[in-house]
Amino acid sequence: MLKPISFVRGFRVPKQKDIDEALGNDASFSNEFKMSFNSLPHPTSDLDWLANYREKGQTYTQFLRQCPFFDDNHSLQKYIYLTLLDNDDRLLLLNIDRLIDYTKRFFQMEIKLLPLFTNINWNNTKHTWMCTMKGRNDSTKEITLRTRYDSTSGHSQICVDNVLNLLKRSLPSDARCLVAITLHDLYSAESDLFIAGLCHGNSSVGAFSFFRYDPRLKFSEEFWYDWKIKKTKSKLMSTIILMRSCRLLTHEIGHLLGIDHCIYYECLMNGSGHLEEDFAQPLFLCPIDLRKLSQLAGFDIIERYEQLLDFCTENRFIDEINILKKRLDILKNEKQTVQTKKNKDFDHETTQKSKRLKKK
Ligand SMILES: [Zn+2]
Ligand SMILES: [Zn+2]
């Protein structure tokens, strides 16, 4: 029989009261809307995030206190900047335009693409990746990216910390964050198998690799350089890569905007300890994190869901289409009810007024 997996010792599973408090008593979401979200899943593997990390959660009120972008000093920082650390031909696999489009609909903020790294090429003498980097005043510089290399397989990984340091120097003054995207494999510590990415929240920068998100990739759990890409091409491949990239990028930008890991619902902002757990997580925010983002970006929740639904329909994200339709139905019905009630109240008031007038 399978051994049941517990939450890490000391983790307090939130009760309904905690969830209500985290959302805030003045939130306008109905019970029906809240019930369209799944509760926090129990760990199913020893490697799952909450089987290892004692997360405390972040309430809506804590977010308002912690997020720097509500402060007047940060009022000019409006944009999410993305930059590509890869050559165009390799990035075709990622469908960058769609990824940017999704990110824009998701955050309802303007996304700017910053051309920072060009001519990324392999130096066969030094066994490192090199690139040309654009400086602040349009100057360019040749950069050697810290790389580790395995001569037998010919495989390499770029050091993410090195990339983050380069990003910090290039952060535009109107940026909420600057995120590098690559299909090169990344590592941080020598002991890492790989790292999907890393954020330096205090510096508003992050770098993420979608290399391990390719469904054709088979890799060893032991040696970083031991991987193979199957030649088969499935029709669903680009949909799977796009969906996985959308999930990773929005989760990480969520962090850079000040949203911590979620422990209240099954949510995009749940931590993930391994790729399988990551791939099983939803694409969307729970009511608590949705409230945080809507407060920061100031959007209409129905309009945003409609834009996300259009995207999911165009890109055939089948499960997501159904989820969004269900939530939109709930929200639109409620809006309709409120509107009808308002009209009725108005009619009633007008009748009362005209009665009073007649009496005169
Ligand atoms: Zn995270
Ligand atoms: Zn959440």
Side-chain angles (χ1 to χ4, degrees):
M1 216 179 98
L2 279 177
K3 166 172 85 87
I5 311 286
S6 322
F7 286 105
V8 65
R9 189 192 290 260
F11 174 74
R12 227 179 116 250
V13 182
K15 301 197 172 63
Q16 190 54 49
K17 182 177 133 289
D18 304 315
I19 299 173
D20 293 342
E21 269 174 26
L23 179 63
N25 300 328
D26 54 339
S28 58
F29 298 136
S30 70
N31 282 334
E32 195 187 2
F33 180 70
K34 288 187 264 181
M35 274 157 65
S36 71
F37 293 82
N38 294 335
S39 45
L40 180 77
H42 208 272
T44 54
S45 143
D46 283 333
L47 299 172
D48 281 4
W49 189 261
L50 288 178
N52 294 282
Y53 297 95
R54 202 181 311 145
E55 293 277 4
K56 288 209 170 95
Q58 179 197 44
T59 66
Y60 171 71
T61 319
Q62 283 168 339
F63 168 75
L64 294 186
R65 271 203 307 269
Q66 292 163 358
C67 173
F69 303 111
F70 292 111
D71 190 323
D72 282 349
N73 296 335
H74 291 82
S75 60
L76 294 175
Q77 293 166 349
K78 289 191 250 205
Y79 307 108
I80 294 173
Y81 279 88
L82 298 181
T83 189
L84 309 175
L85 177 66
D86 224 319
N87 293 331
D88 293 351
D89 53 336
R90 284 167 48 94
L91 285 168
L92 282 177
L93 184 70
L94 265 189
N95 219 328
I96 286 293
D97 291 344
R98 289 195 197 184
L99 187 58
I100 294 175
D101 181 26
Y102 181 79
T103 311
K104 192 173 166 189
R105 291 169 196 240
F106 187 94
F107 290 104
Q108 300 283 305
M109 291 177 197
E110 201 172 323
I111 313 287
K112 291 191 176 186
L113 201 56
L114 191 69
L116 216 54
F117 306 101
T118 47
N119 304 322
I120 298 152
N121 58 71
W122 179 249
N123 183 311
N124 218 4
T125 323
K126 291 192 194 166
H127 294 139
T128 54
W129 287 99
M130 313 266 302
C131 71
T132 309
M133 198 176 163
K134 214 168 167 183
R136 276 182 199 260
N137 37 17
D138 273 349
S139 59
T140 53
K141 205 176 163 192
E142 289 306 304
I143 302 266
T144 304
L145 295 163
R146 201 182 312 144
T147 307
R148 69 177 175 183
Y149 171 68
D150 172 64
S151 56
T152 316
S153 59
H155 293 163
S156 60
Q157 284 183 326
I158 295 176
C159 176
V160 69
D161 303 273
N162 182 198
V163 177
L164 290 176
N165 285 332
L166 296 172
L167 294 178
K168 277 181 210 170
R169 286 188 233 151
S170 312
L171 185 74
S173 55
D174 58 358
R176 280 190 169 160
C177 59
L178 168 60
V179 172
I181 295 171
T182 182
L183 271 169
H184 285 284
D185 207 11
L186 298 175
Y187 78 103
S188 178
E190 280 303 324
S191 56
D192 287 340
L193 190 60
F194 69 93
I195 188 161
L198 199 63
C199 288
H200 280 180
N202 291 340
S203 318
S204 304
V205 295
F208 305 100
S209 162
F210 300 118
F211 176 76
R212 302 268 170 169
Y213 284 36
D214 187 332
R216 297 167 305 168
L217 190 83
K218 288 270 165 275
F219 59 87
S220 123
E221 298 286 339
E222 212 176 335
F223 304 108
W224 68 265
Y225 48 80
D226 190 3
W227 53 259
K228 261 197 234 101
I229 292 188
K230 284 190 292 177
K231 287 251 162 63
T232 50
K233 213 177 168 186
S234 105
K235 262 193 198 162
L236 281 175
M237 196 185 84
S238 57
T239 309
I240 296 175
I241 297 185
L242 180 63
M243 189 186 286
R244 290 176 177 178
S245 324
C246 288
R247 189 190 288 112
L248 174 73
L249 192 62
T250 47
H251 174 106
E252 299 300 342
I253 294 178
H255 281 326
L256 288 169
L257 296 179
I259 306 177
D260 287 353
H261 278 150
C262 179
I263 58 162
Y264 302 107
Y265 286 91
E266 185 177 55
C267 171
L268 172 77
M269 294 312 291
N270 293 148
S272 67
H274 52 104
L275 289 184
E276 232 172 90
E277 188 181 20
D278 179 344
F279 298 159
Q281 287 172 346
L283 238 55
F284 308 124
L285 298 170
C286 74
I288 298 164
D289 293 319
L290 179 62
R291 187 173 187 209
K292 295 174 190 171
L293 183 61
S294 90
Q295 185 62 31
L296 180 63
F299 52 72
D300 178 274
I301 291 178
I302 294 184
E303 253 170 53
R304 173 177 175 271
Y305 271 167
E306 276 174 338
Q307 287 183 20
L308 288 171
L309 177 61
D310 287 344
F311 182 92
C312 292
T313 310
E314 278 161 31
N315 293 287
R316 301 207 187 104
F317 290 2
I318 307 297
D319 293 344
E320 285 68 22
I321 295 175
N322 295 331
I323 292 170
L324 288 170
K325 277 188 178 163
K326 187 174 158 190
R327 290 190 186 143
L328 271 168
D329 275 351
I330 298 173
L331 292 173
K332 283 182 180 171
N333 273 335
E334 286 168 3
K335 196 175 170 186
Q336 184 80 39
T337 316
V338 171
Q339 200 55 50
T340 320
K341 193 177 171 300
K342 265 192 195 156
N343 289 346
K344 268 192 190 155
D345 288 350
F346 181 74
D347 286 349
H348 179 71
E349 228 169 75
T350 334
T351 327
Q352 292 297 321
K353 261 186 202 160
S354 57
K355 271 185 190 164
R356 277 202 299 275
L357 283 175
K358 270 183 198 164
K359 268 187 186 170
K360 269 186 184 173

